[in-house]
Amino acid sequence: MSLTPDPVPASEPGSVSDVVTDHDRGIHGYHHEKQEHLKRLRRIEGQIRGLQRMVDEDVYCIDILTQVSASTKALQSFALQLLEEHLRHCVADAALKGGDEIDAKVKEATRAIARMLRT
C-alpha cells in the first residue's frame, strides 16, 4: 500500500496538489492484500456453511452458538483489518491533500467504527 507521491505538473512546485497517490489511481486500500482477504473470506464462508450443516444435522444448540461466535469474531477481525487499511490509505490520502476532504473521510471512518461497535 503506497502513498509515495509521484510528481505531476502543478502551478506551485512542491505543493500538496502536485502529488498523485494510489487513491488517485483508483486503487483501494485493501488492494495490496486482496488475495489474503479473499482467502480469509473463503475460510469465513466455510464456517458459515459449517453452521448450516450443524443445523441440518441437529447439532446441540450450544455447539452451534460456539461456532456462531467464532464466525462473528472472524468477520469482526476482517472488518477491523479493512478499517485499518482504509485509515492508512483513504484517510491518509485525504490528510496529505488537506481541505474539506479530510473532514469527510474522518467522519466516514467514524461512522464505520460506530456501525462496527453496534454489532
Side-chain angles (χ1 to χ4, degrees):
M1 150 176 42
S2 170
L3 284 179
T4 307
D6 293 335
V8 294
S11 56
E12 295 179 39
S15 70
V16 174
S17 63
D18 70 346
V19 295
V20 177
T21 62
D22 279 353
H23 192 265
D24 295 321
R25 294 181 186 103
I27 298 172
H28 297 291
Y30 60 84
H31 173 78
H32 299 287
E33 300 296 324
K34 186 175 180 176
Q35 292 309 310
E36 284 301 312
H37 288 323
L38 289 171
K39 187 164 64 169
R40 195 171 185 183
L41 287 169
R42 283 191 286 276
R43 279 195 304 265
I44 294 168
E45 180 182 23
Q47 287 179 297
I48 303 305
R49 280 195 306 273
L51 282 167
Q52 292 171 334
R53 191 169 38 257
M54 291 172 83
V55 170
D56 187 49
E57 295 171 2
D58 295 317
V59 172
Y60 184 58
C61 302
I62 297 301
D63 294 337
I64 296 171
L65 288 171
T66 299
Q67 184 62 30
V68 167
S69 179
S71 301
T72 301
K73 289 289 184 192
L75 274 172
Q76 288 172 338
S77 177
F78 173 75
L80 190 58
Q81 178 66 39
L82 206 58
L83 177 63
E84 181 180 345
E85 290 167 357
H86 175 71
L87 293 172
R88 289 185 188 278
H89 185 261
C90 300
V91 176
D93 179 76
L96 180 68
K97 293 179 179 172
D100 292 337
E101 189 174 348
I102 183 63
D103 291 332
K105 291 293 180 184
V106 167
K107 191 176 286 188
E108 178 182 60
T110 302
R111 284 193 305 264
I113 292 166
R115 283 192 303 273
M116 289 174 58
L117 289 175
R118 284 193 294 265
T119 59

